[in-house]
């Protein structure tokens, strides 16, 4: 009969998806992918006329928050909480940079929208300001709440052991 629990700890093998782990540890890669995904989703929603309904707008906002906070959690979960102090704002700032780079590319090809009208280069600074004032505080607040939750769970787990 095969043993399911090894007798020696060195017999344990850990199978981990190396590519995903390397990706999730990189603040630059995760932020760029997140920024591109958020701006592409926004462009899709506005160009397809999906923003005509309040239900669809709320659904878009929820999906965008899930992407932003999900990838932030994926990245921050690789590090101790004390290192989140600089990683969360760096992640958010890089997300804004990636988003605005995609936005500039979309403006140059005439596919960036503000509401139902096509955005111009004169609209870009306002979009940058809006992205900075929403993404950076949101990620910092979320990471603070996540850090508090992690510490609380650790304390409760330590007491019950």
């Amino acid at each position: 009969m095969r043993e399911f629990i090894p007798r020696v700890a060195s017999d344990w093998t850990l199978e981990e998806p190396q590519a995903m782990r390397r990706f999730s540890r990189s603040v630059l890669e995760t932020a760029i992918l997140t920024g591109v995904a958020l701006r592409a989703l926004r462009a899709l929603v506005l160009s397809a006329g999906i923003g005509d309904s309040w239900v669809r707008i709320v659904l878009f906002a929820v999906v965008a928050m899930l992407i932003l906070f999900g990838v932030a959690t994926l990245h921050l979960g690789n590090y101790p909480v004390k290192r989140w102090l600089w990683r969360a704002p760096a992640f958010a700032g890089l997300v804004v940079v990636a988003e605005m780079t995609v936005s500039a590319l979309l403006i140059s090809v005439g596919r960036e929208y503000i509401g139902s009208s096509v955005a111009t280069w004169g609209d870009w600074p306002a979009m940058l300001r809006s992205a900075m004032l929403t993404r950076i505080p949101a990620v910092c607040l979320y990471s603070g709440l996540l850090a508090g939750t992690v510490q609380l769970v650790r304390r409760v787990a330590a007491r019950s052991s």
Side-chain angles (χ1 to χ4, degrees):
M1 184 170 165
R2 183 172 182 229
E3 291 183 23
F4 290 104
I5 300 176
R7 297 194 187 279
V8 182
S10 64
D11 290 343
W12 286 95
T13 59
L14 177 65
E15 294 181 22
E16 177 180 306
Q18 292 296 322
M20 185 63 168
R21 177 74 176 189
R22 279 192 309 268
F23 167 75
S24 69
R25 291 182 57 87
S26 171
V27 68
L28 184 64
E29 292 175 8
T30 54
I32 288 172
L33 181 68
T34 304
V36 169
L38 290 175
R39 190 50 68 162
L41 179 65
R42 180 183 180 277
L44 177 69
V45 166
L46 292 177
S47 68
I50 296 173
D52 298 339
S53 163
W54 282 105
V55 174
R56 292 177 182 160
I57 291 171
V58 169
L59 183 63
F60 161 71
V62 168
V63 170
M65 283 190 299
L66 285 173
I67 291 170
L68 182 64
F69 296 151
V71 178
T73 303
L74 180 71
H75 173 68
L76 294 173
N78 291 305
Y79 299 96
V81 173
K82 64 183 173 184
R83 292 177 71 190
W84 293 9
L85 191 59
W86 71 268
R87 285 193 172 274
F91 173 81
L94 289 169
V95 165
V96 170
V97 168
E99 263 195 270
M100 298 320 296
T101 302
V102 172
S103 177
L105 291 171
L106 290 172
I107 287 173
S108 68
V109 297
R111 299 300 296 172
E112 180 73 290
Y113 292 90
I114 293 183
S116 60
S117 62
V118 177
T120 63
W121 289 108
D123 299 321
W124 194 82
M127 291 190 302
L128 171 63
R129 188 172 35 258
S130 174
M132 286 175 52
L133 292 176
T134 56
R135 306 299 187 273
I136 295 172
V139 169
C140 290
L141 179 64
Y142 172 75
S143 66
L145 292 172
L146 185 62
T149 304
V150 166
Q151 296 296 54
L152 179 67
V153 168
R154 285 181 181 163
R155 284 192 183 136
V156 168
R159 284 186 198 151
S160 65
S161 304

Short mmCIF file of all heavy atoms in Angstrom, two decimals, residues 91-121:
data_model
loop_
_atom_site.label_atom_id
_atom_site.label_comp_id
_atom_site.label_asym_id
_atom_site.label_seq_id
_atom_site.Cartn_x
_atom_site.Cartn_y
_atom_site.Cartn_z
N PHE A 91 2.80 50.09 -7.07
CA PHE A 91 1.91 49.35 -7.97
C PHE A 91 0.86 50.28 -8.57
O PHE A 91 0.64 50.30 -9.78
CB PHE A 91 1.24 48.20 -7.20
CG PHE A 91 0.18 47.48 -7.98
CD1 PHE A 91 0.52 46.51 -8.90
CD2 PHE A 91 -1.16 47.77 -7.79
CE1 PHE A 91 -0.46 45.84 -9.63
CE2 PHE A 91 -2.14 47.12 -8.51
CZ PHE A 91 -1.79 46.15 -9.43
N ALA A 92 0.21 51.08 -7.72
CA ALA A 92 -0.84 51.98 -8.19
C ALA A 92 -0.28 53.03 -9.16
O ALA A 92 -0.90 53.32 -10.19
CB ALA A 92 -1.52 52.66 -7.00
N GLY A 93 0.87 53.59 -8.84
CA GLY A 93 1.47 54.57 -9.72
C GLY A 93 1.83 53.99 -11.08
O GLY A 93 1.61 54.61 -12.12
N LEU A 94 2.38 52.78 -11.08
CA LEU A 94 2.72 52.12 -12.34
C LEU A 94 1.47 51.74 -13.14
O LEU A 94 1.50 51.75 -14.37
CB LEU A 94 3.61 50.90 -12.08
CG LEU A 94 5.03 51.23 -11.63
CD1 LEU A 94 5.74 49.98 -11.13
CD2 LEU A 94 5.81 51.89 -12.74
N VAL A 95 0.40 51.40 -12.45
CA VAL A 95 -0.87 51.13 -13.13
C VAL A 95 -1.33 52.39 -13.87
O VAL A 95 -1.75 52.33 -15.03
CB VAL A 95 -1.96 50.65 -12.14
CG1 VAL A 95 -3.35 50.72 -12.78
CG2 VAL A 95 -1.68 49.24 -11.67
N VAL A 96 -1.24 53.54 -13.20
CA VAL A 96 -1.63 54.81 -13.83
C VAL A 96 -0.74 55.10 -15.04
O VAL A 96 -1.24 55.50 -16.10
CB VAL A 96 -1.59 55.96 -12.81
CG1 VAL A 96 -1.76 57.31 -13.49
CG2 VAL A 96 -2.65 55.77 -11.74
N VAL A 97 0.56 54.88 -14.90
CA VAL A 97 1.48 55.11 -16.03
C VAL A 97 1.10 54.21 -17.21
O VAL A 97 1.03 54.67 -18.36
CB VAL A 97 2.95 54.89 -15.60
CG1 VAL A 97 3.87 54.83 -16.80
CG2 VAL A 97 3.39 55.97 -14.63
N ALA A 98 0.85 52.94 -16.94
CA ALA A 98 0.48 52.02 -18.02
C ALA A 98 -0.85 52.41 -18.65
O ALA A 98 -1.01 52.40 -19.88
CB ALA A 98 0.41 50.59 -17.49
N GLU A 99 -1.82 52.77 -17.80
CA GLU A 99 -3.13 53.19 -18.31
C GLU A 99 -3.01 54.41 -19.21
O GLU A 99 -3.63 54.48 -20.28
CB GLU A 99 -4.06 53.54 -17.14
CG GLU A 99 -4.98 52.44 -16.74
CD GLU A 99 -6.09 52.97 -15.86
OE1 GLU A 99 -5.89 52.98 -14.63
OE2 GLU A 99 -7.13 53.36 -16.40
N MET A 100 -2.24 55.39 -18.78
CA MET A 100 -2.15 56.62 -19.55
C MET A 100 -1.31 56.44 -20.81
O MET A 100 -1.52 57.15 -21.79
CB MET A 100 -1.62 57.75 -18.67
CG MET A 100 -2.54 58.07 -17.50
SD MET A 100 -4.33 58.04 -17.85
CE MET A 100 -4.49 59.36 -19.00
N THR A 101 -0.40 55.49 -20.81
CA THR A 101 0.33 55.17 -22.04
C THR A 101 -0.61 54.57 -23.06
O THR A 101 -0.61 54.95 -24.24
CB THR A 101 1.50 54.20 -21.74
OG1 THR A 101 2.36 54.80 -20.77
CG2 THR A 101 2.27 53.86 -22.99
N VAL A 102 -1.45 53.64 -22.61
CA VAL A 102 -2.46 53.05 -23.51
C VAL A 102 -3.44 54.13 -23.96
O VAL A 102 -3.84 54.17 -25.13
CB VAL A 102 -3.19 51.87 -22.82
CG1 VAL A 102 -4.35 51.38 -23.66
CG2 VAL A 102 -2.23 50.74 -22.55
N SER A 103 -3.81 55.01 -23.05
CA SER A 103 -4.71 56.10 -23.40
C SER A 103 -4.11 56.99 -24.49
O SER A 103 -4.80 57.39 -25.43
CB SER A 103 -5.03 56.94 -22.16
OG SER A 103 -5.84 58.04 -22.50
N ALA A 104 -2.82 57.30 -24.37
CA ALA A 104 -2.15 58.12 -25.38
C ALA A 104 -2.15 57.41 -26.73
O ALA A 104 -2.37 58.04 -27.78
CB ALA A 104 -0.72 58.44 -24.94
N LEU A 105 -1.91 56.11 -26.71
CA LEU A 105 -1.95 55.35 -27.96
C LEU A 105 -3.36 55.36 -28.57
O LEU A 105 -3.52 55.50 -29.78
CB LEU A 105 -1.49 53.91 -27.73
CG LEU A 105 -0.02 53.72 -27.40
CD1 LEU A 105 0.26 52.28 -26.98
CD2 LEU A 105 0.84 54.11 -28.58
N LEU A 106 -4.37 55.21 -27.72
CA LEU A 106 -5.75 55.23 -28.21
C LEU A 106 -6.14 56.61 -28.74
O LEU A 106 -6.86 56.71 -29.73
CB LEU A 106 -6.71 54.77 -27.11
CG LEU A 106 -6.63 53.29 -26.74
CD1 LEU A 106 -7.48 53.01 -25.51
CD2 LEU A 106 -7.07 52.42 -27.90
N ILE A 107 -5.67 57.67 -28.09
CA ILE A 107 -5.95 59.03 -28.58
C ILE A 107 -5.31 59.22 -29.95
O ILE A 107 -5.91 59.78 -30.86
CB ILE A 107 -5.46 60.09 -27.58
CG1 ILE A 107 -6.38 60.13 -26.36
CG2 ILE A 107 -5.42 61.47 -28.24
CD1 ILE A 107 -5.89 61.04 -25.25
N SER A 108 -4.09 58.71 -30.11
CA SER A 108 -3.38 58.90 -31.38
C SER A 108 -4.07 58.19 -32.54
O SER A 108 -3.93 58.62 -33.69
CB SER A 108 -1.93 58.45 -31.27
OG SER A 108 -1.85 57.06 -31.10
N VAL A 109 -4.81 57.12 -32.26
CA VAL A 109 -5.55 56.43 -33.33
C VAL A 109 -7.04 56.77 -33.33
O VAL A 109 -7.80 56.20 -34.10
CB VAL A 109 -5.35 54.90 -33.28
CG1 VAL A 109 -3.91 54.53 -33.51
CG2 VAL A 109 -5.87 54.31 -31.99
N GLY A 110 -7.44 57.69 -32.46
CA GLY A 110 -8.83 58.15 -32.45
C GLY A 110 -9.81 57.18 -31.84
O GLY A 110 -11.01 57.20 -32.17
N ARG A 111 -9.37 56.32 -30.91
CA ARG A 111 -10.25 55.33 -30.30
C ARG A 111 -10.45 55.53 -28.80
O ARG A 111 -11.04 54.68 -28.14
CB ARG A 111 -9.71 53.91 -30.53
CG ARG A 111 -9.60 53.51 -31.98
CD ARG A 111 -10.91 53.52 -32.72
NE ARG A 111 -11.81 52.54 -32.14
CZ ARG A 111 -13.09 52.44 -32.48
NH1 ARG A 111 -13.60 53.25 -33.36
NH2 ARG A 111 -13.85 51.53 -31.92
N GLU A 112 -9.99 56.63 -28.24
CA GLU A 112 -10.19 56.93 -26.82
C GLU A 112 -11.41 57.82 -26.69
O GLU A 112 -11.55 58.80 -27.42
CB GLU A 112 -8.96 57.63 -26.24
CG GLU A 112 -9.06 57.99 -24.77
CD GLU A 112 -8.97 56.78 -23.85
OE1 GLU A 112 -9.91 55.96 -23.84
OE2 GLU A 112 -7.97 56.67 -23.15
N TYR A 113 -12.30 57.46 -25.78
CA TYR A 113 -13.55 58.19 -25.62
C TYR A 113 -13.64 58.81 -24.24
O TYR A 113 -13.13 58.27 -23.26
CB TYR A 113 -14.75 57.26 -25.83
CG TYR A 113 -14.89 56.79 -27.25
CD1 TYR A 113 -14.28 55.63 -27.68
CD2 TYR A 113 -15.64 57.52 -28.16
CE1 TYR A 113 -14.39 55.20 -28.99
CE2 TYR A 113 -15.78 57.09 -29.48
CZ TYR A 113 -15.14 55.93 -29.88
OH TYR A 113 -15.27 55.51 -31.17
N ILE A 114 -14.33 59.94 -24.19
CA ILE A 114 -14.78 60.53 -22.93
C ILE A 114 -16.29 60.62 -23.08
O ILE A 114 -16.79 61.43 -23.86
CB ILE A 114 -14.18 61.92 -22.69
CG1 ILE A 114 -12.69 61.80 -22.46
CG2 ILE A 114 -14.84 62.57 -21.49
CD1 ILE A 114 -12.02 63.11 -22.13
N GLY A 115 -16.98 59.76 -22.37
CA GLY A 115 -18.42 59.68 -22.58
C GLY A 115 -18.69 59.16 -23.97
O GLY A 115 -18.17 58.13 -24.38
N SER A 116 -19.47 59.91 -24.75
CA SER A 116 -19.78 59.48 -26.11
C SER A 116 -18.94 60.18 -27.16
O SER A 116 -19.07 59.91 -28.35
CB SER A 116 -21.27 59.71 -26.40
OG SER A 116 -21.56 61.08 -26.28
N SER A 117 -18.07 61.11 -26.74
CA SER A 117 -17.25 61.84 -27.72
C SER A 117 -15.81 61.32 -27.70
O SER A 117 -15.32 60.79 -26.71
CB SER A 117 -17.27 63.34 -27.43
OG SER A 117 -16.71 63.59 -26.16
N VAL A 118 -15.13 61.50 -28.82
CA VAL A 118 -13.74 61.06 -28.95
C VAL A 118 -12.83 62.02 -28.18
O VAL A 118 -12.97 63.24 -28.29
CB VAL A 118 -13.34 61.00 -30.44
CG1 VAL A 118 -11.88 60.60 -30.59
CG2 VAL A 118 -14.23 60.02 -31.19
N ALA A 119 -11.92 61.46 -27.39
CA ALA A 119 -10.99 62.27 -26.60
C ALA A 119 -9.91 62.86 -27.49
O ALA A 119 -9.51 62.27 -28.49
CB ALA A 119 -10.36 61.41 -25.51
N THR A 120 -9.42 64.03 -27.09
CA THR A 120 -8.33 64.69 -27.80
C THR A 120 -7.15 64.82 -26.85
O THR A 120 -7.26 64.52 -25.65
CB THR A 120 -8.76 66.08 -28.29
OG1 THR A 120 -9.06 66.89 -27.13
CG2 THR A 120 -9.97 66.00 -29.20
N TRP A 121 -6.02 65.31 -27.38
CA TRP A 121 -4.84 65.50 -26.54
C TRP A 121 -5.10 66.50 -25.43
O TRP A 121 -4.47 66.42 -24.36
CB TRP A 121 -3.64 65.92 -27.38
CG TRP A 121 -3.14 64.79 -28.22
CD1 TRP A 121 -3.25 64.66 -29.57
CD2 TRP A 121 -2.48 63.61 -27.77
NE1 TRP A 121 -2.70 63.47 -29.99
CE2 TRP A 121 -2.20 62.81 -28.90
CE3 TRP A 121 -2.08 63.15 -26.52
CZ2 TRP A 121 -1.56 61.58 -28.81
CZ3 TRP A 121 -1.42 61.92 -26.44
CH2 TRP A 121 -1.17 61.16 -27.57
#
